[in-house]
Amino acid sequence: MSSHAPHMTRRDLLRLAGAAAAVPVLSSCAGAPPAQTAAPGTFTVYWNAGHDYQAYRKVIAEFEQANKVKVNLQKYQWPDLRTRLLADFASGTVPDVVEEPGGWVQEFAISGNARSLQDYVDRDGEAMGFPSDWQPVTVERNSYQGKVYGVQLHLTCNTLLYNKGMLSEAGLEPPTTWEEFLAAAKKLTKDGVHGVALNQDHGYIWPWMMQAGVTPFDPETGKVMTPIEDAIAALQFQADLIHKHKVAPVPVSSTDYSGPQKLFSAKRAAMILTGPWDLEPIKKTSADIDLGVAPPLKNKVQVTQAAGTSMLVPAKAARPDLSWDFIKRITALEVEQAATKETGMLMPRVSWAKLPEVQQDEAIKVFAEALPIAQDSTQEVRLTGQLGKWDERLKVVYQQVIIQNEPAADALRTFAEAAEGFLR
């Protein structure tokens, strides 16, 4: 997980989506002439560097043998992958399959650079369990105008990790509501230990907003962050943990997402709100911590944020039949099972959650049980093509309020007014 950036797909998407305007638009997705993707007999796959699993290598070997091709697996970090992909779209020489960090499927469907997979889904979907065996949120976020353009590979979410020993010593049970969370954080803050550590990355705003019942963008009304009073309260609640209640340190503004995990591993924070990408670093750096994983918190609703990676086929890919065969093979249930056993990664199939590898792992089981209540926080914004502008402005708001302690009401109302202007 790079430490964990490859799995933080929502955050990577939010940071990178502003480059969408640079994508050339094909005149017709269906009518675009295929380009030669690679040398004859070579099948090119763009993949995240953190996801080169043995389980996937086995699939690749079987795919090569079945199709008499050599797979050219090119591994990238997300920013580099995006830069390469945009250049490929411009040149017309494209890979056969692309793993993406969440959100690119719809973006490239809109621009005409992703191929609709609906014809393959209509033919093979029932046999492979798609979409019936995939969590519904994963199908929605990979569809455009009623057609499927991508298939989810991994599905992750955000929830509460806590130090069991610290909570037990304080006589606390894991909190389930915001009120309980604040009370626990106060009681746990002492002797150089903070009750909680918040992430400096503004993508972490979303579980709180959704738990407060906030709608990021309503395309019917054109309104942003509604009800605005609840959005303000949710953002102020986070800031108050730091500046008013003093139960969390001021996050350090940087590109490093691992700050809270490092504080947790160093026993300087009793709780963090994060995803499964932090499980392995905690185990490796602080095996003596008795780690607890609790379900997502509840305010008005109990909900969390969906993240994870998907696969798409470029519109100009020369061999879409082979591309689809690759996607089918690597999303099979037995492959998900092997990848989870190997790495602890969370998966999108409903049936995956019932596997012994999931049910018998205390931490993974809690995450798996949260997936059905995970929601995509920015899909409606993404479909406007303005996610880049939205994200840059939200990042400023988050830093103003969380780091600089400016009033949430002023910053968020200014943001909402601006966003309602450019999203129209």
Side-chain angles (χ1 to χ4, degrees), residues 21-333:
V23 183
V25 179
L26 301 176
S27 58
S28 167
C29 180
Q36 181 60 45
T37 54
T42 300
F43 184 88
T44 301
V45 178
Y46 289 0
W47 212 246
N48 181 269
H51 298 163
D52 185 9
Y53 303 158
Q54 287 303 311
Y56 296 158
R57 287 285 180 171
K58 183 172 183 286
V59 171
I60 287 170
E62 293 168 353
F63 174 84
E64 288 177 328
Q65 185 172 6
N67 293 291
K68 303 297 185 285
V69 295
K70 178 65 178 175
V71 171
N72 176 19
L73 185 70
Q74 297 188 18
K75 295 177 285 185
Y76 300 90
Q77 299 298 340
W78 294 126
D80 297 331
L81 191 153
R82 185 177 179 91
T83 299
R84 176 65 187 271
L85 192 58
L86 295 180
D88 288 350
F89 288 156
S91 71
T93 302
V94 296
D96 293 283
V97 172
V98 178
E99 182 189 8
E100 59 83 50
W104 294 5
V105 169
Q106 288 177 324
E107 175 189 340
F108 295 144
I110 292 169
S111 67
N113 286 290
R115 185 194 192 280
S116 169
L117 302 176
Q118 193 61 49
D119 51 344
Y120 295 113
V121 172
D122 291 342
R123 186 189 73 190
D124 299 336
E126 186 174 351
M128 65 183 285
F130 186 88
S132 59
D133 195 32
W134 265 251
Q135 295 287 352
V137 67
T138 70
V139 181
E140 295 163 11
R141 74 199 307 230
N142 287 307
S143 298
Y144 177 61
Q145 294 184 338
K147 294 183 178 180
V148 171
Y149 280 82
V151 176
Q152 195 88 11
L153 177 67
H154 302 152
L155 178 62
T156 64
C157 66
N158 182 299
T159 195
L160 176 67
L161 272 59
Y162 64 96
N163 184 312
K164 286 184 179 180
M166 288 184 179
L167 266 71
S168 177
E169 187 180 329
L172 294 168
E173 294 294 323
T176 61
T177 66
W178 287 15
E179 292 77 12
E180 291 176 2
F181 179 80
L182 175 58
K186 287 179 176 178
K187 197 167 184 181
L188 290 162
T189 300
K190 59 181 180 180
D191 303 328
V193 176
H194 283 96
V196 62
L198 300 184
N199 206 292
Q200 55 81 27
D201 187 275
H202 58 294
Y204 282 84
I205 195 176
W206 290 117
W208 299 99
M209 288 293 182
M210 291 187 289
Q211 288 163 13
V214 173
T215 299
F217 173 56
D218 184 348
E220 294 295 320
T221 64
K223 291 294 183 182
V224 162
M225 296 293 199
T226 54
I228 190 69
E229 293 79 10
D230 292 335
I232 291 167
L235 186 55
Q236 194 62 57
F237 182 87
Q238 295 166 73
D240 285 349
L241 292 171
I242 301 164
H243 303 286
K244 178 181 177 182
H245 304 299
K246 311 290 187 183
V247 297
V250 179
V252 177
S253 182
S254 73
T255 57
D256 182 9
Y257 305 126
S258 61
Q261 174 264 309
K262 289 175 179 175
L263 288 172
F264 185 89
S265 292
K267 302 186 182 70
R268 291 173 53 204
M271 300 183 289
I272 56 174
L273 294 137
T274 188
W277 46 85
D278 274 338
L279 295 177
E280 196 64 24
I282 290 169
K283 288 176 185 175
K284 283 184 176 179
T285 60
S286 45
D288 59 324
I289 289 179
D290 192 1
L291 176 65
V293 181
L297 297 172
K298 179 181 179 181
N299 185 30
K300 288 194 171 183
V301 289
Q302 186 186 29
V303 67
T304 188
Q305 179 188 20
T309 72
S310 299
M311 291 171 291
L312 62 87
V313 178
K316 287 188 175 182
R319 296 157 294 186
D321 288 357
L322 280 185
S323 302
W324 177 249
D325 184 56
F326 183 89
I327 289 172
K328 281 199 303 181
R329 290 171 182 270
I330 212 156
T331 58
L333 181 61

